[in-house]
Amino acid sequence: MVIKRILCSILVVIVAICMSGCWDATEPQRMYYVNAVGVDYEDNKYKVYLQIINLADLANVDNNSGNATSVEVGYAEGKTIEEAIYKLYRSSDQEIFWGHLRYLLFSERAMETEQNAIPVIDTFIRFRETRYQIWVFCTTDSIKDVMLIAPILRSSITSSKLSSPLKTIEQESFIDPKNLRELVIGLNEPSHEVTIPFVTIMKNWETEARKTEETSFAGIGILSKDEFKGFIKDSLSRGSQWMQDKTNRGRITFKLSGGERDYLTVDIDKLNVDVKPIIKKKESETVVFDIDIHVKATVNGFKGAIKDRDIKKQIKEQIKKEVMETYEEGLKLDADIYRLSEYLYRSNLKVWRMIEKDGKIPLKKESINKINIHVKINAGRKTFEETIKE
């Protein structure tokens, strides 16, 4: 009887041990983790770049020790993106896991036609291991060169600007990052166009030994459901940040009236944007838009006596100027850069249906009727008096 009980106990232990394990699971340290995918298109072939990381790199996300694993990028070509990825599987030493994919990087050629860009987006949306929170960027630089750039101070690649763009825009929201979810929504709703952050390589950092390269947000690319429309770069794209509530912080620089060389930079935050479609002539259904932008401006360093009303005037003029510059650049590309079509679609579906064509309404420079800028001034720690007087 005792022996029978002992044998039963041993059997229970063995069964418990077997059931507690996953026979078909792969050990985490025996997998490569995809951090980013770059896609180019040339000679009717997709060129796919895979940036991989390992567990040691993941452990160094918050450890800025300078000992993070260097970037490693694989490359393959194929008639489809799936074919290129399968070729990369052949050269991998370990199983490749896609659940940590953080961003997609498209070349200009990869976005030029629907046949190139849309299937790529669809592939990563449908794949069971990927998520909708994957960031999307575009560039005219070499995909490989961009993906081989290591973050400043050689911190973890998962802490890079492209892997974690929300950290960067906390200090300046020059460009609004887009993830796959937002991209799909934008392409499926009027005006069926989305802006994608444009990335370039900059050499404005250096060590004691050499200059180092870093990625920089330098504008936006415009992708529609039918085609890639083009880029709006550098200062010409600045107006887009003033037309979205998600802007966390920006800046305005203008010349003071007191002297030719005296300039002032103010911090702009707490944006609130309201766009109202106005039906001017019901006979022809002419639609214009009134825009109200509420901002808070913080004044930090300045020289000489300045007045609240002068600062407000300059801020209003500069924001209005930048909003219109970006809007007009969008018109040159036949792009509804501020998604004005969607504002009409949400507020007056009947009129939208009467005048839309392929999800867009006809736009011209005069379609923006008014831009009202409402500014609240904060003088920082002090009033508008000089901290250090001459």
Side-chain angles (χ1 to χ4, degrees):
M1 190 71 178
V2 175
I3 295 174
K4 187 176 180 180
R5 288 179 179 176
I6 293 173
L7 290 175
C8 287
S9 299
I10 294 172
L11 182 61
V12 169
V13 171
I14 293 173
V15 171
I17 292 173
C18 292
M19 292 182 66
S20 66
C22 298
W23 293 99
D24 60 346
T26 304
E27 297 177 26
Q29 69 270 22
R30 296 186 180 276
M31 289 192 289
Y32 293 144
Y33 296 83
V34 179
N35 185 67
V37 174
V39 182
D40 196 0
Y41 192 84
E42 189 177 14
D43 299 329
N44 296 320
K45 288 184 179 181
Y46 286 97
K47 298 185 175 184
V48 177
Y49 298 84
L50 224 59
Q51 184 189 75
I52 61 172
I53 55 178
N54 58 27
L55 286 177
D57 194 39
L58 288 174
N60 280 325
V61 171
D62 297 316
N63 179 20
N64 194 16
S65 62
N67 295 320
T69 306
S70 59
V71 183
E72 186 135 356
V73 176
Y75 165 78
E77 297 180 0
K79 298 181 184 67
T80 66
I81 188 169
E82 291 87 354
E83 182 183 27
I85 289 173
Y86 269 90
K87 288 181 180 179
L88 280 166
Y89 286 158
R90 298 178 199 169
S91 60
S92 174
D93 299 320
Q94 306 287 350
E95 180 182 342
I96 292 177
F97 181 67
W98 293 84
H100 289 294
L101 177 59
R102 290 172 177 261
Y103 72 86
L104 292 172
L105 178 64
F106 288 94
S107 71
E108 182 178 8
R109 290 178 299 210
M111 295 192 300
E112 282 178 341
T113 68
E114 178 184 1
Q115 287 72 28
N116 293 342
I118 303 302
V120 175
I121 295 167
D122 195 54
T123 293
F124 288 99
I125 289 173
R126 292 176 182 272
F127 189 47
R128 65 182 181 274
E129 288 186 9
T130 56
R131 301 158 297 151
Y132 285 105
Q133 298 299 320
I134 299 169
W135 301 108
V136 183
F137 305 100
C138 59
T139 187
T140 55
D141 291 329
S142 162
I143 292 283
K144 181 181 71 172
D145 290 347
V146 173
M147 297 182 72
L148 282 173
I149 291 176
I152 295 171
L153 297 179
R154 293 188 61 79
S155 57
S156 168
I157 193 65
T158 58
S159 300
S160 71
K161 184 186 292 85
L162 302 188
S163 297
S164 303
L166 294 181
K167 295 180 180 179
T168 300
I169 66 170
E170 287 179 2
Q171 291 190 307
E172 186 188 14
S173 309
F174 174 48
I175 297 300
D176 178 34
K178 285 287 193 306
N179 58 41
L180 277 181
R181 175 183 172 275
E182 294 167 324
L183 189 146
V184 171
I185 291 173
L187 290 176
N188 280 299
E189 294 185 347
S191 55
H192 305 294
E193 296 172 345
V194 291
T195 58
I196 300 175
F198 170 70
V199 178
T200 189
I201 297 174
M202 299 287 288
K203 293 184 178 181
N204 54 351
W205 294 84
E206 58 184 295
T207 67
E208 69 281 0
R210 59 183 178 86
K211 288 189 175 182
T212 59
E213 295 180 335
E214 183 52 76
T215 54
S216 175
F217 295 139
I220 51 179
I222 304 166
L223 180 67
S224 77
K225 63 187 179 79
D226 299 316
E227 62 179 331
F228 177 64
K229 303 236 165 161
F231 298 103
I232 302 178
K233 299 179 181 179
D234 302 321
S235 61
L236 292 176
S237 65
R238 285 185 54 81
S240 63
Q241 68 184 316
W242 311 127
M243 287 295 291
Q244 51 192 337
D245 293 333
K246 289 190 290 185
T247 293
N248 186 61
R249 190 184 186 191
R251 57 92 183 161
I252 291 289
T253 299
F254 52 84
K255 186 170 69 173
L256 296 170
S257 57
E260 293 184 359
R261 295 186 178 181
D262 292 332
Y263 285 84
L264 179 67
T265 295
V266 297
D267 298 334
I268 304 292
D269 57 13
K270 299 188 182 301
L271 262 74
N272 182 269
V273 182
D274 183 28
V275 180
K276 295 180 180 178
I278 308 295
I279 315 300
K280 292 193 71 175
K281 297 179 181 178
K282 291 188 177 181
E283 298 81 12
S284 59
E285 304 298 355
T286 301
V287 181
V288 295
F289 297 85
D290 287 353
I291 300 172
D292 285 272
I293 304 175
H294 296 260
V295 301
K296 178 182 176 182
T298 302
V299 181
N300 293 312
F302 55 87
K303 179 182 178 181
I306 56 176
K307 297 180 180 178
D308 183 285
R309 64 175 180 271
D310 293 335
I311 296 175
K312 286 184 177 180
K313 179 183 176 182
Q314 294 275 22
I315 292 173
K316 291 177 182 180
E317 290 177 354
Q318 187 65 23
I319 291 180
K320 187 180 297 186
K321 174 177 175 289
E322 291 181 1
V323 168
M324 285 305 299
E325 280 182 348
T326 302
Y327 175 69
E328 290 176 29
E329 288 299 311
L331 292 181
K332 293 177 184 178
L333 299 173
D334 187 32
D336 183 1
I337 194 71
Y338 298 139
R339 298 183 68 84
L340 298 179
S341 300
E342 185 174 0
Y343 284 105
L344 179 62
Y345 175 80
R346 303 294 179 195
S347 65
N348 197 324
L349 183 59
K350 181 180 178 180
V351 173
W352 178 85
R353 283 175 172 168
M354 292 177 64
I355 64 175
E356 66 89 17
K357 184 177 180 181
D358 297 327
K360 288 176 57 176
I361 63 174
L363 294 173
K364 52 186 178 180
K365 181 179 178 181
E366 292 74 23
S367 296
I368 293 183
N369 184 48
K370 294 179 182 178
I371 302 178
N372 302 310
I373 314 295
H374 310 272
V375 182
K376 182 179 179 181
I377 296 289
N378 175 27
R381 294 182 178 181
K382 297 179 69 66
T383 61
F384 293 122
E385 295 180 1
E386 291 181 284
T387 306
I388 303 174
K389 298 182 179 180
E390 294 182 352

